[in-house]
Amino acid sequence: MINGSPEGSQPQPSPAVLQAALFDLDGTLIATEHRSRAAWTRLFEAHGLVVDDALLATFVGRRGQEALADHVHRFPGSSVEELFAEAVGYLNGPGIPPPYAVPGAEALLKRLRAEGIPMAVVTSGLREHAQALLELVGGPQLFAAMITAEDVSRGKPDPEGCLAGCAALGVEPGRAVAFEDAPAGVAAAQAAGMACVGLTTTHTRSDLRAADLVVPDLTTVGWPPVPLNAIA
């Protein structure tokens, strides 16, 4: 052995240093799933259609228009854009519960900002929606970049948004970690070549088993997230 390595072998690379964090928004930083489910439920019921938990689960973590496209054939005479606008309108209607910050979100964001860790939001939602929700965790000014549904041609699980977020922060995907709450988001991060922390705020641990680390919320997450600092 030479320098602790088998003779003739190359030195092993040191563990990757995580340099940036990408955050999903709905369900990851802000609890909104209860609101979204209520709005989608009203949309389907307003058109005389039956809706259940299995159907609603197909919308989580995806761009609303793309999720609706899977069901638009059930709405004769309506387009995806018309249905999406109707659903968004329900979000501002009476009886829709308010959003709230995921436990630990604001503290983690402010800690990373203080430590100089560049951050981006990569959300399947609209920019106006994202900017308003981020006020609940310290404001959009905490982030160096924001990638929304308007900025991509393909939503999660496609990696386009994650790759755009890394490019905007000037980091290689292998040096960034994504925080996601849905299988579509985990798949997008992995397809981009990123490490991923999954939050069980909207899905079970089993649903997020593909993530590198699974946590209940953001209260115990440090930097770098353990054990992600050991990923090469």
Side-chain angles (χ1 to χ4, degrees):
M1 298 180 69
I2 300 175
N3 294 328
S5 299
E7 186 173 354
S9 67
Q10 296 296 316
Q12 293 300 306
S14 60
V17 177
L18 294 175
Q19 300 172 341
L22 273 61
F23 289 89
D24 175 51
L25 180 59
D26 295 275
T28 299
L29 294 177
I30 308 295
T32 59
E33 185 57 27
H34 55 302
R35 288 168 50 82
S36 297
R37 283 177 172 261
W40 292 127
T41 296
R42 289 190 183 184
L43 175 69
F44 277 81
E45 291 181 344
H47 290 263
L49 298 173
V50 175
V51 60
D52 56 20
D53 286 343
L55 184 150
L56 293 172
T58 67
F59 284 78
V60 181
R62 301 173 62 195
R63 293 201 303 179
Q65 295 95 326
E66 291 177 349
L68 269 174
D70 295 340
H71 304 279
V72 68
H73 62 280
R74 303 176 62 193
F75 297 82
S78 297
S79 69
V80 167
E81 291 303 326
E82 289 170 340
L83 294 169
F84 182 70
E86 182 180 344
V88 170
Y90 290 135
L91 283 175
N92 299 317
I96 298 294
Y100 56 91
V102 167
E106 182 172 5
L108 176 61
L109 294 177
K110 290 183 175 179
R111 185 163 71 250
L112 295 187
R113 177 63 181 263
E115 294 178 9
I117 304 300
M119 299 180 290
V121 170
V122 180
T123 175
S124 298
L126 302 176
R127 182 171 296 272
E128 182 178 3
H129 170 81
Q131 289 176 329
L133 288 179
L134 287 173
E135 294 296 341
L136 296 174
V137 288
Q141 69 275 6
L142 293 176
F143 299 88
M146 182 185 301
I147 308 298
T148 70
E150 296 102 320
D151 302 315
V152 298
S153 59
R154 299 174 303 277
K156 302 171 187 179
D158 191 277
E160 182 181 352
C162 290
L163 293 173
C166 289
L169 296 180
V171 299
E172 294 295 325
R175 301 296 187 183
V177 57
F179 292 81
E180 297 280 352
D181 69 293
V186 175
Q190 292 188 324
M194 300 174 62
C196 186
V197 175
L199 281 72
T200 57
T201 49
T202 63
H203 287 77
T204 66
R205 178 174 290 271
S206 177
D207 291 336
L208 304 176
R209 60 186 178 277
D212 299 288
L213 174 67
V214 179
V215 295
D217 54 37
L218 296 171
T219 56
T220 61
V221 176
W223 187 264
V226 176
L228 296 188
N229 57 327
I231 294 177

